[in-house]
Amino acid sequence: MSEHTVSSQAYTKAVLHCAKYPWATVQGLFLTETKDNKIRYIDAIPLSHTWTQLTPMFDIALQQAQIYAASKNLSVGGYYVAYEDPNNIQLSASSALLAKAVLAINSNAVAFVIDAKHLAPESVRSGLIPFVSVDAQWKEQAGAFGSDKKGGKGSEFVLENNRVLVTAKKLIAERAEAAIHDFDEHLDDVSLDWLQNPLLNEQIRTA
Amino acid sequence: MSSSLELLAEIRQSSERRPFAVLKLAEPLLNTRGVSRAGDDAWLVYEQVFVSAIDEGQIELAKAVLVILRTRFPSSQRVKRLYGMINEAVGHPDEAKTIYKEMLETDETNILASKRLIALLKSYGHIGETVKQLVAYLDIHNNDFEAWLELSNLYLTQNLYPQAAFCMEEVIMQQPANHYFHLCYAEISYSMGNFDLALKEYLRVVELSTDNVRGFYGIKLVADRIRDIRAKPKRDQNARIDDAPQPATLDRLSQLATERLVAAYNGANDTCKKTAEEWLKA
């Protein structure tokens, strides 16, 4: 299987989405770029923080994210979710279905559950737990992002460099989450750019 | 100084959960005893600060505020529940449970205590037990639409869509003019494959709330979906479209939704506008 590398922008935006709605389940998509069998997670597009089990707006957002991704020569390559209950780190039935919809448009799509316990300032690893579809089931990839379970299939998942965690923590400390806007927010105010979140990109770049 | 108090009052009114904003607004007031300028509302402000403080993990601040409230209202049940909440916040669920149960022994109709017990169960992941308690609560207080809303959410987390839909029906019966509930019901119906009902409910949303973007997106999505299903009926076995309007009406609805969305997107930036327009064409 190919190597999966997650950039600062992708990781930080997913984590800030969680930070903005700590009491809710949040979910979103990852945009990816594939070169020489290596998959880079370039960006994150936050989708929703309410009614996250329901499908209509997810369907629309997924379709629009695809249109946007194509315009940037990227693909929709991932789905992330962080549950309201921080002890829940398994992919739920409804999340599995939504992730399946992403799989339908990209057979290499990976689903990630964010483990909130690893978002604390003192954490030294990323909170992402990857799930890959094997025989129509989402299987957890142990050992991802340098976690303790060595030798698992998860070892192919890495953060781009050691600035990724530092950047994410810095922006959380600065309360940058106010600047992230998901599709739910966009539906209430179309002037909010949920696809790019450009101000945030700038903050991440200069962090 | 008074504008901070006004803003705090607005946040209380809207019931928004904005703990960081509340603390930022309240901090200078607390330091300079500005809260007393709120008169009788001062106690509401303190309660608001308490809840925001535990939300932000600022337990010492919460404790300080609690002392102020306890001093003023020594035998208040409303303050007692705050003691329960701070126990929950520091991870002492058994102490919290004891407090709430004591409150219910004093007065078995104490809604605050019942609700906190249910919230406690939910926060510890005992969903089955939470649902049971909430159903028992609703047997007595069946006009508490917020409780029906909470039960609907709980059912959704368990993928029990029909049960969630039933709860939303109760909410809508009590609050028929609130478009937000029709929106939720429309989305649950869509997720269950009841497209005819979803369309009706999305139409209700835009009736009740002018130029509701989410509503128009829903109308466009469902109208087109029904059209697709009619064209290839065998593909979607679970889809219910029996009560859906005639093709000509569907086309007009889809067109109307498109027009309203294009108009709404004049307020969006280029990227979002282009993407939405691409989607509308497809």
Side-chain angles (χ1 to χ4, degrees):
Chain A
M1 204 163 55
S2 36
E3 203 176 277
H4 301 253
T5 310
V6 177
S7 72
S8 284
Q9 187 159 308
Y11 184 72
T12 305
K13 281 161 92 165
V15 160
L16 284 175
H17 193 202
C18 296
K20 191 166 189 180
Y21 299 103
W23 54 80
T25 297
V26 300
Q27 62 193 4
L29 302 168
F30 283 124
L31 294 186
T32 57
E33 176 182 68
T34 308
K35 271 196 188 125
D36 305 321
N37 225 27
K38 291 189 197 292
I39 302 175
R40 256 193 91 214
Y41 294 76
I42 307 273
D43 201 358
I45 298 183
L47 295 184
S48 54
H49 57 274
T50 50
W51 310 336
T52 49
Q53 305 88 351
L54 304 179
T55 52
M57 298 300 128
F58 180 87
D59 285 347
I60 296 174
L62 180 57
Q63 287 159 12
Q64 290 201 9
Q66 265 182 282
I67 294 169
Y68 169 75
S71 76
K72 302 281 176 189
N73 286 321
L74 298 172
S75 315
V76 176
Y79 162 87
Y80 71 83
V81 60
Y83 294 108
E84 184 181 331
D85 179 356
N87 293 315
N88 190 350
I89 52 173
Q90 288 302 315
L91 208 59
S92 76
S94 61
S95 296
L97 279 175
L98 298 178
K100 207 167 136 198
V102 183
L103 196 65
I105 56 157
N106 183 341
S107 53
N108 291 319
V110 176
F112 294 89
V113 173
I114 298 182
D115 184 351
K117 294 190 280 299
H118 292 290
L119 298 183
E122 45 300 345
S123 174
V124 294
R125 27 173 305 229
S126 94
L128 292 173
I129 305 173
F131 288 74
V132 166
S133 181
V134 176
D135 297 329
Q137 295 272 353
W138 290 100
K139 294 254 154 63
E140 185 179 334
Q141 306 297 291
F145 302 105
S147 83
D148 308 320
K149 302 172 193 166
K150 298 258 179 276
K153 291 243 171 76
S155 54
E156 294 168 10
F157 288 86
V158 298
L159 293 175
E160 185 169 49
N161 52 40
N162 51 17
R163 297 252 352 125
V164 175
L165 284 183
V166 171
T167 305
K169 287 180 195 182
K170 180 158 184 274
L171 263 72
I172 291 179
E174 288 170 7
R175 294 272 170 170
E177 69 262 12
I180 196 162
H181 304 293
D182 60 14
F183 189 56
D184 271 349
E185 288 183 43
H186 171 81
L187 290 169
D188 282 337
D189 177 356
V190 296
S191 72
L192 299 174
D193 188 347
W194 64 290
L195 289 164
Q196 298 179 115
N197 281 296
L199 286 175
L200 203 45
N201 292 342
E202 213 21 63
Q203 275 186 278
I204 294 169
R205 212 172 358 250
T206 57
Chain B
M1 192 75 46
S2 64
S3 62
S4 292
L5 286 173
E6 273 163 25
L7 285 167
L8 284 169
E10 269 172 38
I11 296 176
R12 282 199 306 276
Q13 182 77 328
S14 69
S15 308
E16 284 176 280
R17 191 168 176 169
R18 298 180 54 195
F20 184 61
V22 167
L23 292 184
K24 236 169 103 173
L25 285 166
E27 205 183 322
L29 296 176
L30 293 167
N31 292 336
T32 60
R33 308 224 160 145
V35 183
S36 51
R37 287 186 212 186
D40 285 335
D41 279 358
W43 312 108
L44 293 174
V45 175
Y46 281 124
E47 190 183 39
Q48 182 180 21
V49 171
F50 172 86
V51 173
S52 295
I54 55 174
D55 222 352
E56 285 277 322
Q58 291 202 35
I59 304 299
E60 290 313 310
L61 173 58
K63 281 184 186 165
V65 172
L66 201 43
V67 166
I68 296 173
L69 283 166
R70 179 63 159 249
T71 308
R72 177 61 184 85
F73 302 104
S75 36
S76 160
Q77 293 294 297
R78 186 162 166 172
V79 173
K80 186 163 178 168
R81 108 182 188 276
L82 302 182
Y83 275 93
M85 284 168 77
I86 201 167
N87 269 294
E88 286 185 66
V90 300
H92 295 157
D94 294 325
E95 284 85 336
K97 211 169 177 182
T98 309
I99 292 173
Y100 300 140
K101 288 211 158 130
E102 269 172 27
M103 289 171 72
L104 285 168
E105 268 160 46
T106 311
D107 172 12
E108 65 179 12
T109 66
N110 189 321
I111 292 180
L112 292 175
S114 310
K115 286 187 170 178
R116 279 319 314 163
L117 259 180
I118 293 169
L120 181 57
L121 285 168
K122 180 181 176 189
S123 69
Y124 279 85
H126 305 306
I127 304 296
E129 186 60 32
T130 311
V131 168
K132 223 171 108 190
Q133 292 296 327
L134 192 43
V135 168
Y137 172 88
L138 279 164
D139 276 341
I140 305 168
H141 307 279
N142 55 17
N143 54 0
D144 185 343
F145 74 89
E146 286 175 337
W148 282 110
L149 207 48
E150 183 60 38
L151 186 55
S152 179
N153 278 332
L154 283 171
Y155 281 134
L156 283 179
T157 64
Q158 306 302 300
N159 298 314
L160 296 169
Y161 293 100
Q163 289 84 336
F166 174 81
C167 293
M168 284 317 297
E169 285 162 16
E170 288 288 335
V171 175
I172 288 174
M173 274 207 304
Q174 294 177 26
Q175 300 278 312
N178 190 325
H179 72 272
Y180 187 74
F181 303 136
H182 288 279
L183 203 40
C184 185
Y185 190 51
E187 307 219 342
I188 296 176
S189 303
Y190 180 93
S191 306
M192 287 171 67
N194 294 347
F195 299 119
D196 44 13
L197 189 49
L199 182 58
K200 260 194 216 130
E201 287 297 314
Y202 273 125
L203 286 168
R204 198 85 183 95
V205 169
V206 302
E207 253 188 317
L208 293 168
S209 165
T210 318
D211 277 336
N212 190 300
V213 170
R214 196 161 178 145
F216 279 117
Y217 263 127
I219 292 171
K220 172 100 182 127
L221 183 72
V222 183
D224 289 356
R225 184 74 180 265
I226 294 175
R227 224 182 9 216
D228 288 346
I229 293 172
R230 281 194 177 142
K232 299 176 190 140
K234 287 222 174 78
R235 271 187 62 208
D236 223 327
Q237 304 285 35
N238 289 327
R240 296 248 299 263
I241 57 167
D242 302 330
D243 287 336
Q246 294 303 310
T249 312
L250 279 180
D251 284 343
R252 293 223 312 274
L253 287 172
S254 181
Q255 208 174 5
L256 170 70
T258 305
E259 275 167 28
R260 297 318 305 156
L261 285 169
V262 167
Y265 268 84
N266 275 324
N269 72 4
D270 280 339
T271 309
C272 293
K273 195 165 160 192
K274 266 202 210 110
T275 310
E277 285 173 358
E278 269 296 313
W279 182 84
L280 286 167
K281 278 190 227 144

